[in-house]
Each structure stands twice: as C-alpha cells, then as structure tokens.
Amino acid sequence: MQKEQAIVLHGKGVRTQDLKSAIHDFNAQRQMNPELGKAVGHLVLSWRAFDRNKLSQKIMVDRAADI
C-alpha cells in the first residue's frame, strides 16, 4: 500500500482502500484479541517473469487461498 507498484489482492475483515483504514482495522482486531503477537499477516506471491501474462489477480488470490 505504501509502494506505488503494490497491489492489495485480498483482505478479509480489513478495509483495503487506503493505508489509514487498514491500520485502524488491524489495531481494532488486535485489541479484541490481545493474545495475538502481531497485528498483520501477509504472504508474498512470486512467479517466474515469463508466466506473468498467464496470471490474473483472481488466479493469484485463488493460489494464495490454497496455502
């Protein structure tokens, strides 16, 4: 969200339209469950450059959900 080329593909329970909203939602969730060690979870997806034309945002979200 802070880098121009960054894309948020999916968010569950977190508003992803802007950084301020996402931070607020992560903090609210953390306060509801103080046993959580971290307020953020993220996953890096990486594919070979020559596969780029075969990928869509939906495919990437589907693959991440498989993990």
Side-chain angles (χ1 to χ4, degrees), residues 13-56:
V14 177
R15 292 171 289 172
T16 59
Q17 70 268 21
D18 61 75
L19 184 60
K20 186 176 180 179
S21 296
I23 290 170
H24 178 271
D25 292 348
F26 279 123
N27 285 328
Q29 288 182 21
R30 188 177 67 214
Q31 288 172 356
M32 288 187 286
N33 188 357
E35 295 178 12
L36 288 176
K38 296 183 179 183
V40 176
H42 64 272
L43 178 67
V44 175
L45 304 174
S46 180
W47 285 276
R48 294 178 284 190
F50 68 84
D51 288 332
R52 183 171 297 159
N53 293 335
K54 300 175 191 175
L55 297 170
S56 68

